[in-house]
């Protein structure tokens, strides 16, 4: 009874099937076109770069989340890892540890936290939802204790200025966070499409016992995806901290849901085994453009939530229709 | 002339890149069993899915009880009185047997609470009719594959239907289960049901069916009464040519010992010892539940070993997981294609190369070209019917999926290949192709363990045969001394003539 979409359709450029697969891209283009008509400031280089920069944090979280969801898992702890690693980085900077080292250590910290989650899920056979829910609460608590509930400022040293580059700098006229986002997506795309690891991620999400019987170390793949997800959460935390020159203990609260929404709007199945990383980028951009447009159009922030929910629901419904 | 209750004429159905049905016809008569025959990928399952409305048809007529109909989906067709047992199991392992049977049609009281006692009682009655020895309150995952199939059949019987379609129902059944199924089919026939019976086991066709309809490449070939047929004629209709000798055995060159299993103990394996030579096919016979699959999985490292040794080419390997087994050169093709064998949502290519990706990549990076080349080679070698290697494997016909599963194991170039029911659901022509391939690899020196419930297959292909009973080896034969009676006697535990080979 199983009925799968043909994977070849992506090859038939501009065919009906191709359009169905690219529906999130089309939705993005339509959205941009409509908002451009409604507000002349929207389609300016400044604003577009602004959107990209604002989107980069959620997009980077969503990239890691895509890996996790492809293995039929879920990671609710991304927001908490973001806050903890951000705080950690901020205090290192305030102690005048060189920015590059602080960043690398914070990234490593994120990866280790992720790998702990992965270990609990793989070896402890705990459901991903529960394990990451626990991590989410636990790490938020640790962050609160660590920061004493107050922001940690990076200080006013040269090192703090270096560190600020990650969130506020420009390269070739494009904000650094956007470069980071592009780099992250290119890397994950490469991982998923051109490495064994990527193939195993899809296989694991599609049928765990068959993957195991194919002689693949399923536990290692699981630990791998949660580590990458943790590392990317740390990267997002660094960007936010760097941009604000301080780490907020409540940073990233609720971001896990935005990240999951971006993944789902991008066409990746929560059941695992099916999805595309570039879909996630588009999904994140749809949410980013929507946020920006609603602000530009002076929609009240209460009403914004309703609109956002409606758009996500619509995207998922359309996705189901074509299955 | 008898009047069909269900009549399909000139049905056409295409999928992207495949014409699955190309003028197919089928008549189902009340009180008769119609066999639907054809090679793998001939379109049998697709035709059934068109009847029940799972697929919409491109062209053609369906008449049911003398009225033209189109069903919108399985619910619709079920309500009209057509129920179907699908080739692939569609049950929920976490639920009880009764819940599976009455899923979505639970008997409830006015408050919407389920009437458990009524439901269990009705389900127990159905199970009894099919001679399944389980309470309907048992969780489905505790059942063997064959028993699960029986539950699927019970589910189909629970509908008030006039037409029952069975798509390869005996695929996973033991002989006694097949017998009780046939008893039920005979009752149903007497009660005036119209039955469609799809199977690749020709023996069954002659036993239970009244008429046959043959499809080839989606086209209608013939409708004939079974009485006018014999096996050769049937094969000729299906394949379009005559087939000679079904089991093309080649003599083994009696190599040295390749694999040795010594006093192996595991959960349901009790002291098994045997040897396997280079370039030899060792058949493993036995009834379902005799512990054959478990033994194989222990050798493959997928299940835990308690004691004993597994020795490959003189070295103790005792694999603790499948990675280690594969790395030392043991490959295992599971009997449960959907559950353990394939990732149905991935493409033919991704599935076939899954075990062998290490050899098909440089470092971490996949070598797409090498992968495509070897996958293409295997698709050609196995004659797999697929529009391209990027087709999602869930869209292939059952037999073609099985060929991919075997190719997947061979791609690792194993020293020992363990095939667990390798020809399940495979048509006669393709079976022979698979046998020839097995022989080809045997001639190249590969050692093969062939686990099969089909005695003719074991007798036809093996050099030596082991029979298992309750987790032990109850008989060992050189193929020249073996026959069905002897194997059967050992399989049921009457161990008196186990001749050391
Ligand atoms: N959903 C689908 N999408 C694309 N192709 C399909 C789909 N379903 C079936 N096909 C193709 O249609 C053809 C007929 O398949 P079908 O499953 O009906 O064969 P079958 O006669 O039941 O074979 P078997 O004996 O192996 O079960 C095959 O070539 C198959 O690959
Ligand atoms: Mg079929």
């Amino acid at each position: 009874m199983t009925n799968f979409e043909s994977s070849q359709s992506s090859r038939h450029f501009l065919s009906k099937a191709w359009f169905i697969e690219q529906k999130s891209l089309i939705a993005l283009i339509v959205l941009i076109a409509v908002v451009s008509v409604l507000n002349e400031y929207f389609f300016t280089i400044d604003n577009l770069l602004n959107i990209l920069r604002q989107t980069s944090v959620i997009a980077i979280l969503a990239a890691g989340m895509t890996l996790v969801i492809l293995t039929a898992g879920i990671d609710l702890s991304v927001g908490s890892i973001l806050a903890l690693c951000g705080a950690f980085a901020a205090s290192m900077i305030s102690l005048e540890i060189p920015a590059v080292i602080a960043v690398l250590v914070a990234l490593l910290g994120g990866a280790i936290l992720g790998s702990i989650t992965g270990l609990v899920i793989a070896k402890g056979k705990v459901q991903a939802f529960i394990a990451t829910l626990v991590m989410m609460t636990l790490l938020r608590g640790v962050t609160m204790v660590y920061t004493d509930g107050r922001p940690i400022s990076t200080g006013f040293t040269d090192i703090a200025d270096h560190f600020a580059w990650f969130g506020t700098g420009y390269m070739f006229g494009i904000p650094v966070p956007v470069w980071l986002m592009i780099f992250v997506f290119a890397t994950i795309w490469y991982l998923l499409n051109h490495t064994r690891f990527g193939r195993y991620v899809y296989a694991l999400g599609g049928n765990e016992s068959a993957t195991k019987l194919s002689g693949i170390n399923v536990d290692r793949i699981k630990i791998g995806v949660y580590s990458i997800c943790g590392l990317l959460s740390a990267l997002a935390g660094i960007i936010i901290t760097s941009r604000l020159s301080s780490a907020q203990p409540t940073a990233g609260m609720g971001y896990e849901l935005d990240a999951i929404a971006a993944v789902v709007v991008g066409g990746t199945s929560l059941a695992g085994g099916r999805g595309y990383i570039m879909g996630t980028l588009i999904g994140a951009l749809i949410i980013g453009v929507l946020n920006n447009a609603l602000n530009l159009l002076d929609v009240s922030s209460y009403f914004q939530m309703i609109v956002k929910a409606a758009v996500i629901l619509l995207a998922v419904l359309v996705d189901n229709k074509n299955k | 002339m008898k009047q069909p209750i269900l009549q399909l004429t000139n049905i056409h159905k295409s999928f992207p890149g495949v014409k699955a049905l190309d003028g197919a016809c089928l008549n189902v008569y009340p009180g008769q069993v119609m066999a639907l025959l054809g090679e793998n990928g001939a379109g049998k399952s697709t035709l059934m899915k068109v009847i029940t409305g799972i697929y919409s048809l491109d062209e053609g007529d369906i008449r049911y009880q003398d009225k033209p109909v189109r069903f919108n989906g399985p619910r619709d067709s079920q309500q009209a009185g057509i129920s179907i047992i699908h080739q692939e199991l569609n049950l929920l392992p976490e639920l009880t047997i009764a819940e599976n049977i009455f899923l979505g049609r639970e008997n409830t009281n006015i408050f919407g609470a389920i009437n458990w006692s009524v439901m269990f009682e009705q389900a127990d009655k159905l199970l009894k009719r099919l001679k399944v020895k389980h309470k309907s309150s048992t969780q489905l995952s505790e059942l063997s594959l064959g028993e699960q199939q029986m539950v699927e059949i019970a589910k189909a019987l629970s509908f008030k239907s006039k037409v029952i379609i069975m798509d390869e129902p005996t695929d996973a059944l033991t002989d006694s289960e097949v017998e009780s199924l046939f008893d039920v089919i005979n009752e149903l026939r007497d009660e005036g049901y119209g039955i469609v019976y799809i199977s690749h086991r020709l023996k069954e066709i002659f036993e239970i069916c009244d008429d046959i309809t043959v499809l080839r490449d989606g086209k209608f070939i013939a409708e004939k009464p079974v009485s006018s047929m014999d096996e050769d004629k049937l094969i000729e209709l299906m394949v379009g040519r005559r087939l000679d000798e079904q089991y093309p055995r080649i003599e083994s060159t009696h190599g040295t010992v390749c694999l040795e299993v010594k006093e192996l103990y595991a959960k349901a394996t009790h002291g098994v010892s045997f040897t396997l030579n280079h370039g030899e096919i060792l058949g493993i016979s036995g009834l379902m539940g005799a512990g054959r699959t478990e033994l194989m999985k222990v050798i493959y490292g997928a299940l835990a070993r308690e004691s004993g040794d597994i020795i490959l080419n003189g070295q103790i390997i005792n694999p603790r997981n499948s990675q280690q087994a594969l790395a030392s050169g043991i490959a295992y093709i599971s009997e449960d294609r959907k559950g353990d064998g394939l990732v149905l949502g991935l493409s033919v290519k991704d599935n076939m190369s899954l075990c062998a990706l290490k050899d098909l990549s440089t470092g971490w990076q996949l070598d797409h070209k090498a992968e495509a080349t070897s996958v293409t080679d295997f698709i050609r070698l196995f004659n797999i019917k697929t529009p391209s290697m990027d087709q999602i494997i869930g869209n292939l016909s059952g037999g073609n999926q099985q060929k991919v599963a075997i190719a997947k194991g061979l791609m690792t170039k194993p020293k020992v290949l363990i095939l667990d029911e390798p020809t399940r659901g495979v048509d006669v022509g393709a079976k022979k192709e698979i046998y020839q391939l097995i022989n080809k690899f045997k001639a190249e020196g590969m050692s093969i363990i062939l686990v099969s419930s089909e005695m003719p297959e074991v007798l036809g292909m093996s050099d030596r045969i082991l029979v298992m009973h309750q987790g032990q080896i109850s008989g060992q034969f050189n193929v020249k001394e073996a026959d069905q009676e002897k194997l059967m006697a050992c399989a049921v535990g009457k161990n008196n003539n186990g001749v050391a080979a």
Side-chain angles (χ1 to χ4, degrees):
Chain A
M1 285 185 64
T2 27
N3 196 356
F4 301 96
E5 325 170 17
S6 166
S7 72
Q8 316 151 279
S9 47
S10 53
R11 307 261 158 82
H12 298 278
F13 196 61
L14 292 183
S15 68
K16 190 178 153 211
W18 185 83
F19 271 111
I20 289 173
E21 262 183 31
Q22 309 302 318
K23 57 191 169 291
S24 47
L25 180 59
I26 291 167
L28 179 63
I29 293 171
V30 170
L31 187 64
I32 290 176
V34 170
V35 185
S36 303
V37 173
L38 292 177
N39 184 307
E40 69 251 29
Y41 172 70
F42 176 80
F43 205 77
T44 57
I45 299 278
D46 268 0
N47 189 49
L48 291 180
L49 284 182
N50 196 21
I51 294 176
L52 284 175
R53 205 193 50 230
Q54 284 168 349
T55 310
S56 60
V57 168
I58 292 296
I60 288 171
L61 289 179
M65 189 69 79
T66 308
L67 283 182
V68 170
I69 289 181
L70 278 175
T71 65
I74 191 98
D75 191 348
L76 302 176
S77 67
V78 291
S80 298
I81 295 183
L82 177 155
L84 183 56
C85 292
F88 190 39
S91 51
M92 277 190 285
I93 296 297
S94 66
L95 292 173
E96 300 199 32
I97 292 172
V100 174
I101 294 179
V103 165
L104 289 178
V105 171
L107 289 178
L108 185 68
I112 290 173
L113 290 175
S115 69
I116 294 172
T117 316
L119 260 168
V120 171
I121 292 168
K123 301 286 184 195
K125 310 259 177 277
V126 179
Q127 280 185 352
F129 188 94
I130 306 292
T132 60
L133 186 68
V134 168
M135 280 306 255
M136 171 172 121
T137 318
L138 176 79
L139 296 182
R140 181 65 67 186
V142 171
T143 311
M144 289 298 176
V145 171
Y146 180 65
T147 61
D148 208 8
R150 285 190 293 266
I152 299 179
S153 164
T154 54
F156 300 95
T157 57
D158 277 354
I159 287 177
D161 285 347
H162 290 159
F163 182 67
W165 178 79
F166 287 96
T168 57
Y170 279 81
M171 257 168 72
F172 310 114
I174 292 179
V176 172
V178 176
W179 283 116
L180 290 173
M181 173 177 85
I182 293 169
F183 175 75
V184 164
F185 274 84
T187 309
I188 304 272
W189 175 81
Y190 175 82
L191 258 183
L192 281 177
N193 291 291
H194 296 287
T195 69
R196 286 209 303 273
F197 176 77
R199 189 67 66 75
Y200 295 161
V201 164
Y202 280 101
L204 169 58
N207 184 341
E208 179 166 346
S209 71
T211 307
K212 211 173 194 168
L213 263 193
S214 301
I216 290 154
N217 191 336
V218 172
D219 292 348
R220 209 147 74 194
I221 306 297
K222 282 186 189 166
I223 296 170
V225 295
Y226 286 96
S227 307
I228 295 175
C229 194
L231 180 125
L232 293 179
S233 309
L235 178 62
I238 289 165
I239 293 174
I240 292 186
T241 309
S242 153
R243 180 148 188 79
L244 301 175
S245 297
S246 75
Q248 309 289 329
T250 55
M253 259 192 189
Y255 280 22
E256 60 281 345
L257 297 182
D258 275 352
I260 294 168
V263 175
V264 173
V265 170
T268 294
S269 152
L270 279 176
R274 208 157 42 83
Y276 323 89
I277 184 68
M278 287 310 156
T280 299
L281 181 58
I282 293 167
L285 287 174
I286 289 180
I287 294 178
V289 167
L290 208 61
N291 278 336
N292 179 271
L294 292 171
N295 278 330
L296 283 185
L297 299 175
D298 260 341
V299 178
S300 85
S301 64
Y302 301 151
F303 203 63
Q304 283 190 14
M305 290 193 236
I306 298 176
V307 175
K308 234 163 79 180
V311 168
I312 292 170
L313 182 64
L314 195 74
V316 180
L317 283 179
V318 170
D319 202 36
N320 281 345
K321 265 273 146 48
N322 289 308
K323 250 177 238 156
Chain B
M1 207 27 219
K2 43 192 180 178
Q3 193 58 38
I5 176 168
L6 178 66
Q7 187 172 27
L8 292 102
T9 25
N10 205 19
I11 307 285
H12 291 258
K13 171 76 192 168
S14 295
F15 296 107
V18 200
K19 190 135 187 57
L21 295 174
D22 185 12
C25 303
L26 177 69
N27 296 313
V28 186
Y29 305 98
Q32 305 231 340
V33 182
M34 171 63 82
L36 182 59
L37 299 169
E39 291 178 277
N40 295 128
K44 305 177 296 290
S45 299
T46 306
L47 189 61
M48 297 308 108
K49 289 180 186 170
V50 164
I51 295 180
T52 49
I54 294 169
Y55 294 153
S56 59
L57 46 77
D58 298 343
E59 205 182 301
D61 294 306
I62 305 179
R63 288 179 77 81
Y64 178 57
Q65 296 180 315
D66 271 337
K67 280 188 282 296
V69 286
R70 283 286 160 87
F71 297 114
N72 293 323
R75 244 197 140 79
D76 206 14
S77 51
Q78 238 149 38
Q79 248 145 27
I82 300 178
S83 60
I84 181 163
I85 303 163
H86 284 287
Q87 187 170 6
E88 316 289 341
L89 292 173
N90 285 299
L91 300 169
L92 303 169
E94 304 301 323
L95 298 185
T96 62
I97 298 179
E99 285 171 295
N100 266 294
I101 293 178
F102 293 107
L103 193 69
R105 303 172 292 138
E106 291 85 358
N107 187 322
T108 52
N109 65 17
I110 46 168
F111 300 113
I114 294 177
N115 232 328
W116 288 102
S117 56
V118 177
M119 193 159 100
F120 284 135
E121 196 180 312
Q122 287 178 344
D124 277 331
K125 230 183 264 163
L126 284 166
L127 292 182
K128 199 158 157 219
R129 188 168 176 195
L130 287 165
K131 303 198 181 68
V132 178
K133 289 187 198 69
H134 280 285
K135 275 226 164 83
S136 66
S137 52
T138 314
Q139 192 172 322
L140 190 86
S141 54
E142 287 171 29
L143 273 57
S144 73
L145 211 56
E147 288 165 339
Q148 294 189 17
Q149 181 70 52
M150 291 306 260
V151 172
E152 189 83 83
I153 293 166
K155 183 173 173 176
L157 295 181
S158 72
F159 293 99
K160 307 245 170 314
S161 355
K162 302 194 178 69
V163 173
I164 298 183
I165 297 167
M166 306 185 178
D167 196 349
E168 305 197 29
T170 53
D171 229 24
L173 300 189
T174 63
D175 286 347
S176 60
E177 283 167 338
V178 171
E179 228 164 81
S180 23
L181 173 65
F182 282 2
D183 290 344
V184 174
I185 292 182
N186 280 327
E187 284 170 29
L188 293 174
R189 178 190 0 232
D190 295 341
E191 288 163 25
Y193 287 81
I195 295 167
V196 181
Y197 189 85
I198 301 177
S199 177
H200 288 295
R201 300 188 182 175
L202 299 182
K203 205 174 78 208
E204 294 175 356
I205 305 297
F206 290 99
E207 200 176 328
I208 196 75
C209 300
D210 303 299
D211 304 282
I212 58 153
T213 296
V214 179
L215 296 182
R216 197 192 305 151
D217 298 326
K219 293 186 186 69
F220 172 79
I221 299 295
E223 181 189 317
K224 298 239 162 81
V226 163
S227 52
S228 72
M229 282 280 129
D230 61 34
E231 205 158 298
D232 288 337
K233 270 193 216 157
L234 236 173
I235 294 174
E236 205 177 328
L237 276 181
M238 283 167 61
V239 190
R241 67 196 142 80
R242 294 188 78 87
L243 279 188
D244 36 357
E245 178 62 80
Q246 174 74 40
Y247 301 105
R249 186 212 309 284
I250 52 169
E251 288 312 316
S252 81
T253 43
H254 278 291
T256 46
V257 173
C258 173
L259 179 79
E260 188 176 358
V261 171
K262 256 193 196 160
E263 280 300 308
L264 195 64
Y265 282 86
K267 202 162 141 241
T269 305
H270 310 296
V272 169
S273 304
F274 67 87
T275 59
L276 170 68
N277 294 333
H278 286 283
E280 179 188 48
I281 299 180
L282 179 65
I284 309 234
S285 183
L287 301 178
M288 238 164 257
R292 296 169 301 168
T293 294
E294 196 204 63
L295 174 62
M296 294 308 134
K297 283 192 172 173
V298 172
I299 296 175
Y300 184 59
L303 289 177
R305 179 183 56 92
E306 280 164 12
S307 67
D309 284 319
I310 298 158
I311 302 162
L312 185 66
N313 289 333
Q315 273 184 338
I316 299 184
I317 53 167
N318 292 349
R320 268 178 291 116
N321 50 42
S322 323
Q323 287 109 275
Q324 291 179 1
L326 270 172
S328 15
I330 300 180
Y332 169 74
I333 314 295
S334 167
E335 61 174 339
D336 182 3
R337 191 165 64 221
K338 188 178 176 186
D340 280 346
L342 300 172
V343 186
L344 290 183
L346 289 186
S347 67
V348 170
K349 170 174 70 86
D350 293 358
N351 269 289
M352 209 191 269
S353 61
L354 195 57
C355 293
L357 276 188
K358 276 212 182 82
D359 306 327
L360 297 172
S361 43
T362 34
W364 267 104
Q365 177 158 334
L366 294 176
D367 184 345
H368 290 294
K369 227 190 207 157
E371 187 188 14
T373 313
S374 51
V375 169
T376 314
D377 283 351
F378 270 100
I379 288 180
R380 203 170 309 131
L381 189 65
F382 274 70
N383 203 358
I384 295 169
K385 266 192 212 160
T386 173
S388 86
M389 64 181 175
D390 293 317
Q391 174 74 303
I392 300 292
I393 200 161
N395 290 340
L396 257 54
S397 78
N400 282 300
Q401 289 181 13
Q402 183 63 31
K403 290 187 188 175
V404 176
I406 298 176
K408 176 181 162 190
L410 281 171
M411 241 192 196
T412 61
K413 305 196 188 72
K415 301 187 185 89
V416 175
L417 178 67
I418 305 174
L419 298 164
D420 200 347
E421 307 283 356
T423 59
R424 183 173 277 169
V426 172
D427 71 51
V428 271
K431 253 186 199 167
K432 193 174 166 193
E433 284 170 18
I434 290 176
Y435 295 147
Q436 278 167 339
L437 283 165
I438 294 177
N439 279 336
K440 182 167 165 278
F441 289 103
K442 169 184 172 182
E444 286 168 11
M446 195 183 284
S447 309
I448 293 156
I449 299 180
L450 173 69
V451 179
S452 173
S453 301
E454 281 184 51
M455 291 205 178
E457 179 171 286
V458 175
L459 286 165
M461 289 299 294
S462 321
D463 300 302
R464 281 185 306 136
I465 299 172
L466 302 180
V467 188
M468 283 191 75
H469 173 66
Q470 293 183 346
Q472 288 175 318
I473 290 180
S474 60
Q476 193 168 148
F477 300 92
N478 213 316
V479 73
K480 296 199 183 74
E481 301 149 358
D483 59 34
Q484 294 221 16
E485 281 82 55
K486 286 184 189 165
L487 293 188
M488 202 55 198
C490 292
V492 297
K494 274 188 260 160
N495 187 3
N496 44 18
N497 51 355
V499 184

